[in-house]
Amino acid sequence: MIFKSLKKNIEIEDSTFNMLYSTRIRRLSERHWTPVAIAKAAADYLVDKPNKKVLDIGAGAGKFCLVGAASTKGIFYGVEQRASLTKLSKKIAEKHQVENVEFIHSNITDISFSDYDAFYFYNSFFENIDTSCPIDKNIVPKNELFLSYSNYVRDQLHKTPKNTRLVTYWSTWEEIPESFDLEYSACDGVLNFWKKKS
Ligand SMILES: C[S@@+](CC[C@H](N)C(=O)[O-])C[C@H]1O[C@@H](n2cnc3c(N)ncnc32)[C@H](O)[C@@H]1O
């Protein structure tokens, strides 16, 4: 029902989408997972042509990728460092036959951005700085990881071709290279739409 509605562009409340998850994962939603309406807006911008390969940098419980895959003609790839979240995302995609999505258990530093066409980033590395609402205890936050992961992403994005699209949500902009132009902003400036200028 949820995925059928998304495919038909019928509005889905966050509380409805989050019923796909256990209570523990649902409780993390407000702080850690992209709201459905934001995911749709971001995915619409990133998939400007069918079959665009979109990488979610830190896919969490798969929410952005699942919404994007169901509501656009793109192919979504979610890279996530927590094995349990990758497993959960895969299970939901399989159960609901969402086919244009793939979840990869990996650290982002092992991923080459040259394999993808467009990118989504929801402040994934901030958990190393703000430890007030941890996802779990399996990843030990380290201040210095915020900068090293951001540097990796900035370097990879800088190497992407002209006109590459990027959407950031609640980002500090640390990971955005100067070669990207801000096209427009929404949600009081926390949702930003970028394009590589050169
Ligand atoms: C704020 S959540 C966003 C989840 C998802 N993109 C969404 O919008 O629903 C960030 C996720 O990034 C993951 N993450 C953080 N650092 C990472 C890294 N270096 N490599 C892969 N995943 C990472 C975290 O485990 C967390 O699940």
Side-chain angles (χ1 to χ4, degrees):
M1 190 302 252
I2 291 173
F3 290 99
K4 275 190 187 145
S5 300
L6 284 168
K7 277 197 176 92
K8 288 184 188 159
N9 211 12
I10 296 169
E11 210 172 294
I12 288 281
E13 295 289 327
D14 266 297
S15 52
T16 307
F17 188 92
N18 292 341
M19 291 309 284
L20 291 168
Y21 299 120
S22 65
T23 311
R24 192 186 80 77
I25 296 294
R26 210 179 301 150
R27 279 203 192 115
L28 294 167
S29 184
E30 201 175 325
R31 179 73 176 262
H32 292 285
W33 322 136
T34 302
V36 174
I38 302 284
K40 280 183 77 173
D44 276 347
Y45 174 77
L46 295 172
V47 182
D48 59 329
K49 287 185 210 126
N51 298 321
K52 270 216 156 175
K53 294 167 89 177
V54 179
L55 177 68
D56 184 6
I57 304 163
K63 193 168 170 185
F64 167 75
C65 284
L66 289 164
V67 172
S71 59
T72 73
K73 292 193 184 318
I75 308 165
F76 287 73
Y77 298 84
V79 170
E80 171 53 49
Q81 65 179 348
R82 289 178 161 90
S84 61
L85 294 180
T86 305
K87 195 175 162 194
L88 168 64
S89 309
K90 281 184 181 179
K91 205 170 146 189
I92 295 172
E94 272 166 31
K95 183 172 174 194
H96 296 274
Q97 294 163 341
V98 187
E99 280 168 2
N100 49 333
V101 71
E102 198 177 300
F103 293 102
I104 302 154
H105 174 226
S106 174
N107 195 294
I108 197 63
T109 52
D110 292 323
I111 300 293
S112 170
F113 285 25
S114 60
D115 295 333
Y116 306 94
D117 305 313
F119 303 88
Y120 178 73
F121 183 74
Y122 177 6
N123 211 15
S124 297
F125 313 138
F126 205 63
E127 64 175 354
N128 291 294
I129 292 179
D130 180 348
T131 55
S132 61
C133 177
I135 292 174
D136 58 31
K137 288 182 182 150
N138 299 336
I139 297 286
V140 180
K142 290 196 194 100
N143 240 284
E144 60 272 23
L145 285 178
F146 176 79
L147 264 192
S148 63
Y149 290 158
S150 301
N151 288 345
Y152 180 80
V153 168
R154 192 169 59 244
D155 183 56
Q156 289 289 307
L157 287 173
H158 184 58
K159 291 179 186 153
T160 60
K162 190 178 170 188
N163 292 329
T164 295
R165 290 176 177 224
L166 162 73
V167 174
T168 57
Y169 185 49
W170 282 107
S171 153
T172 58
W173 296 18
E174 189 66 43
E175 70 295 335
I176 299 163
E178 280 184 9
S179 46
F180 276 72
D181 269 345
L182 180 62
E183 297 282 292
Y184 56 95
S185 294
C187 304
D188 292 328
V190 297
L191 180 63
N192 289 297
F193 300 78
W194 307 83
K195 201 191 264 183
K196 189 145 189 278
K197 63 185 168 195
S198 55

